[in-house]
Amino acid sequence: MNRLACMFAALAVVFGMPGAGPAAADPRTVVPLDEGWRFIRGDPAGASDIAADEASWGAVRLPHTWNGVDGEDGGGDYYRGPGWYRTTFSAPSDGRRTWLEFDGAALIAEAWVNGVHVGRHEGGYARFRFDVTDALKSGLNHLAVRVDNSSGGAVAPLGGDFTVFGGLYRPVRLVTVDPVHLDMADHGGPGVYLTASNVSEAGADIALLARVTNDGDTRAAVVLRTTLTDADGAVALTIETPVVAPPGQTVEVRDTARLTRPRLWDGRADPHLYALTAEVLDARDEAVDRLVLSTGVRAATIDPDRGFILNGRPVPLRGVNYFHAGRPGRGLAVQDAEIDADFAILDDLGGTGLRFVHFQHPQRAYDLADRTGMVVWTEVPLNGVASPSPAFAANLTQQMRELIRQNHHHPAIAVWGLGNEVYATDDVADGAIALMQAVAREEDPGRPTAYAHCCQDDLDRKALHADLTAYNRYYGWYDETFARIGAWADERRARDPVRPTGVGEFGAGASVLHQQSPPDRPVPDGDWHPEQYQTAFHEAYWRALRDRPWLWGSFVWVGFDLASDGRDEGDRAGVNDKGLVTYDRAIRKDAWYWYQANWSDRPMAHILDRRLTTDTAPVAAVRAYSNLASLELFINGRSAGVAPVVDHVATWTDVPLPDGLNHLEVRGPDGVSDAVWRTRLAPAP
């Protein structure tokens, strides 16, 4: 790959939830294991035994975390250690293979079935599976899982400004497959991958890679049939590949084909997805295994002069850092409904890109990015701290392979992240990031890599391993002033005009309880974070960043307030309040509407300072964000005049406010409006 131009081929790799099949009977059996669990925090003796005493254990339902309260109350002292889960289940007895599938368990998980140890996984954010077939018995089976959210010094992340919520915080299920199946031990991936190259509206070259496993006792001669179906249900491509699998082995299957006149995945403009069905067919042409997956075909480039280019046209990547769909009292132990709600807010915001920080996200998030057309940068949890131990290097390698194999099929993913703000500049950090680059290139040479660099202007050697650079910059919050961001960007480009550069993070804290106009500059770790300062920060930053189209991406830190138990600032401890939306998702801060006015095509208007509800001056200045040409202001139903919207802001000065409660409303065409109540306090006699 040309590292300077960072060209990367279109990708179409596929993966989906087992059991999501067409009308034909699914050869896979999927049984959710979310109900009927018992839990205890700590490490009681004999917890893996079938006859363990559960009298002191509590009843829980998955997803579950034990840090829902102490992980976001401040102090940095939340529990990090072991916890145990137990449940029972009935297993099939039809001679097939049965796997336990975990969508995530933080950070280290071990499982026992009927007292037999069936597996250990290190890493909190990726899917993993254990083959439990040989431990099963007829009737009721006992499952015990030990989870530990301490890293032991060898499991990433070793650092990071966020809470590591311990527990089985994502779903668990049983998956039963035929002895001949798409590889279930493929780092949590689907075992089937498609890559598209030479992509245009005329066609695309398709390369198939699949791994077929034969856990039976005899040689298996099967056919792998791979089918692409477009959004209208028409079959666009079929590949049939003979496979001979010796007993007890996994074989790689490779094939090629030509897809003619593909409908391209085109980001927000047209996020078209193909359904891919991968079937293992026996001698009777019957499917013994099947996966139905979603994917897309697109061509993309990241260029040092033109930024991100999708299917031949520049598409500026503008969006937010998305941490996770965490919620108060539950941490990361959320359902699909919370992820859906987040994406509804993100879709309404109107951005074109997302950075998924600082670890692998649930499949639902990647699926929704595909469907909404948002381009994604997603990263491995190498954050802040690195270790020289071989065990840490092995764990990083495993987690990068899991990230790529489990998500290779998503057309939304454009960039693999190698790490974030690894502060050490010595050989340890350099070696860890170099290793991540090597693994990413081995697994997926078609997509570029990025590293999120912080706290110095010149690139050190660890940052140069990645194909792209992104800087985390907070001028005007931690140091200097807002005005520095534009000058910094120009200086950075002048130093290295041939290396693609983006801004990975920029933001300022804001409490919706803190209102001050004009705002004093906050102390970042202080207890006064006026919302108006965040608003001013983002107005200044976006005006600078949008005028530099060579930036390959610009990502606000952060979309939603998030739990970080070590923080003590703003209106409460334990929360990073730089979000554009509050942690509970109840309030979109004023800065959120600034970006909606700039990014969204949906007509909108928003009056600023809506939580600054009292005023003592006889006249007021009223400002409103909008993407319309003009707005009319009404005070208590009477027009106060029409103002042009200049650079997404309409402004009225010296607006008379009568004593008492006043209704302020702005109106635009086609019913667009917004209103607030504001009280003028009469001056004291």
Side-chain angles (χ1 to χ4, degrees):
M1 182 177 71
N2 183 337
R3 286 172 58 96
L4 298 181
C6 286
M7 308 290 290
F8 58 99
L11 301 174
V13 195
V14 214
F15 175 61
M17 290 292 294
D26 198 322
R28 292 192 173 194
T29 302
V30 180
V31 179
L33 295 180
D34 293 337
E35 305 284 354
W37 289 85
R38 305 285 290 177
F39 167 74
I40 191 168
R41 197 175 81 172
D43 209 7
S48 65
D49 297 342
I50 294 177
D53 182 4
E54 298 179 2
S56 61
W57 297 41
V60 299
R61 183 189 187 280
L62 304 187
H64 173 265
T65 178
W66 57 72
N67 297 122
V69 175
D70 70 350
E72 55 194 45
D73 63 359
D77 56 353
Y78 68 100
Y79 178 74
R80 296 194 68 173
W84 281 84
Y85 296 84
R86 288 172 59 91
T87 192
T88 57
F89 63 91
S90 296
S93 56
D94 54 6
R96 297 191 295 163
R97 306 298 298 184
T98 298
W99 293 72
L100 269 174
E101 183 172 78
F102 298 79
D103 281 352
L107 285 171
I108 302 169
E110 294 185 82
W112 290 258
V113 173
N114 299 320
V116 177
H117 188 262
V118 293
R120 175 184 172 96
H121 180 265
E122 298 182 346
Y125 305 103
R127 174 175 287 169
F128 60 95
R129 306 181 183 110
F130 300 144
D131 186 345
V132 300
T133 308
D134 295 338
L136 297 178
K137 63 181 183 180
S138 60
L140 203 62
N141 288 263
H142 295 261
L143 169 61
V145 183
R146 183 184 188 272
V147 186
D148 190 335
N149 66 331
S150 60
S151 71
V155 180
L158 300 183
D161 186 9
F162 53 88
T163 298
V164 178
F165 287 95
L168 292 178
Y169 73 102
R170 291 183 187 163
V172 178
R173 62 188 67 86
L174 284 176
V175 181
T176 302
V177 296
D178 189 86
V180 182
H181 54 267
L182 294 165
D183 189 13
M184 294 286 288
D186 191 20
H187 290 279
V192 58
Y193 309 89
L194 294 185
T195 302
S197 59
N198 301 317
V199 175
S200 70
E201 293 182 350
D205 294 327
I206 303 296
L208 165 68
L209 167 63
R211 295 179 176 92
V212 176
T213 297
N214 180 6
D215 282 326
D217 297 327
T218 60
R219 172 180 174 275
V222 296
V223 171
L224 177 65
R225 182 164 65 200
T226 310
T227 306
L228 276 179
T229 306
D230 67 20
D232 297 324
V235 174
L237 179 71
T238 300
I239 307 171
E240 294 195 351
T241 311
V243 181
V244 176
Q249 294 189 26
T250 298
V251 297
E252 282 197 353
V253 181
R254 296 182 183 271
D255 209 338
T256 59
R258 178 73 176 170
L259 175 64
T260 59
R261 301 191 61 80
R263 181 175 168 184
L264 301 181
W265 188 89
D266 204 30
R268 302 282 287 181
D270 182 15
H272 176 263
L273 295 171
Y274 286 94
L276 184 143
T277 304
E279 296 176 294
V280 179
L281 306 175
D282 63 14
R284 298 169 297 176
D285 203 35
E286 293 183 358
V288 296
D289 195 18
R290 179 188 298 116
L291 282 176
V292 180
L293 321 161
S294 293
T295 193
V297 178
R298 87 288 190 275
T301 305
I302 292 182
D303 183 86
D305 297 317
R306 302 172 66 202
F308 182 76
I309 299 170
L310 181 63
N311 300 323
R313 77 180 196 287
V315 176
L317 293 188
R318 53 200 186 192
V320 303
N321 285 267
Y322 181 50
F323 181 76
H324 199 291
R327 293 296 193 278
R330 289 182 289 159
L332 303 190
V334 297
Q335 304 280 358
D336 285 350
E338 282 81 15
I339 303 172
D340 294 350
D342 280 4
F343 268 80
I345 295 172
L346 296 170
D347 182 64
D348 200 22
L349 185 62
T352 57
L354 294 169
R355 180 185 174 205
F356 283 5
V357 289
H358 287 299
F359 42 73
Q360 183 170 330
H361 283 229
Q363 280 298 308
R364 185 75 166 194
Y366 296 102
D367 290 342
L368 291 172
D370 288 344
R371 296 175 199 169
T372 56
M374 295 190 202
V375 177
V376 170
W377 161 17
T378 186
E379 62 197 33
V380 74
L382 174 57
N383 194 288
V385 180
S387 165
S389 76
F392 182 70
N395 181 254
L396 278 180
T397 298
Q398 168 205 305
Q399 293 202 54
M400 179 61 87
R401 292 197 197 282
E402 290 171 336
L403 175 70
I404 294 176
R405 293 197 191 183
Q406 292 175 30
N407 297 290
H408 189 272
H409 66 290
H410 290 289
I413 295 177
V415 178
W416 300 121
L418 305 183
N420 177 78
E421 297 185 13
V422 184
Y423 295 109
T425 57
D426 57 15
D427 291 341
V428 174
D430 179 67
I433 296 169
L435 175 62
M436 292 300 89
Q437 174 72 359
V439 176
R441 293 279 62 80
E442 177 188 344
E443 288 288 327
D444 184 12
R447 285 182 176 101
T449 60
Y451 171 71
H453 185 62
C454 181
C455 311
Q456 60 190 72
D457 283 341
D458 290 326
L459 293 178
D460 54 26
R461 61 182 184 177
K462 67 177 183 288
L464 293 172
H465 293 295
D467 303 314
L468 313 171
T469 299
Y471 293 84
N472 299 345
R473 286 294 177 266
Y474 292 89
Y475 300 122
W477 181 248
Y478 292 113
D479 58 8
E480 303 198 44
T481 65
F482 304 158
R484 175 68 180 133
I485 186 63
W488 165 83
D490 292 338
E491 292 165 8
R492 181 64 256 164
R493 179 165 169 77
R495 285 195 192 102
D496 194 359
V498 296
R499 184 176 181 83
T501 300
V503 181
E505 298 177 16
F506 60 97
S511 165
V512 295
L513 303 180
H514 298 168
Q515 302 294 316
Q516 183 185 30
S517 183
D520 295 332
R521 178 166 177 166
V523 176
D525 60 357
D527 59 4
W528 182 247
H529 284 183
E531 184 179 2
Q532 286 76 13
Y533 191 85
Q534 183 194 55
T535 303
F537 177 103
H538 284 294
E539 285 187 11
Y541 262 65
W542 185 243
R543 285 171 174 149
L545 297 176
R546 73 183 179 194
D547 293 334
R548 290 164 171 83
W550 45 269
L551 291 169
W552 66 264
S554 301
F555 303 91
V556 174
W557 183 269
V558 59
F560 306 90
D561 290 350
L562 61 102
S564 182
D565 194 55
R567 285 183 174 256
D568 185 4
E569 60 193 46
D571 63 43
R572 57 182 161 167
V575 172
N576 184 327
D577 66 357
K578 293 187 181 70
L580 300 181
V581 182
T582 55
Y583 186 27
D584 61 4
R585 277 55 171 178
I587 298 175
R588 304 179 189 191
K589 303 176 189 180
D590 280 347
W592 186 93
Y593 292 93
W594 166 244
Y595 287 107
Q596 188 188 44
N598 278 269
W599 294 348
S600 177
D601 294 331
R602 300 169 188 168
M604 58 78 64
H606 173 80
I607 299 173
L608 277 74
D609 296 331
R610 63 202 312 106
R611 283 164 286 280
L612 190 62
T613 56
T614 60
D615 204 332
T616 58
V619 295
V622 178
R623 295 201 310 151
Y625 292 146
S626 183
N627 52 15
L628 303 173
S630 63
L631 294 173
E632 186 172 6
L633 174 65
F634 293 84
I635 306 294
N636 301 321
R638 294 185 178 182
S639 177
V642 175
V645 176
V646 179
D647 195 5
H648 300 95
V649 184
T651 304
W652 296 263
T653 58
D654 300 328
V655 177
L657 288 181
D659 291 350
L661 189 62
N662 294 279
H663 185 258
L664 282 65
E665 183 180 17
V666 294
R667 300 176 189 168
D670 300 323
V672 175
S673 66
D674 188 38
V676 299
W677 292 92
R678 190 165 297 166
T679 300
R680 180 181 180 259
L681 301 177

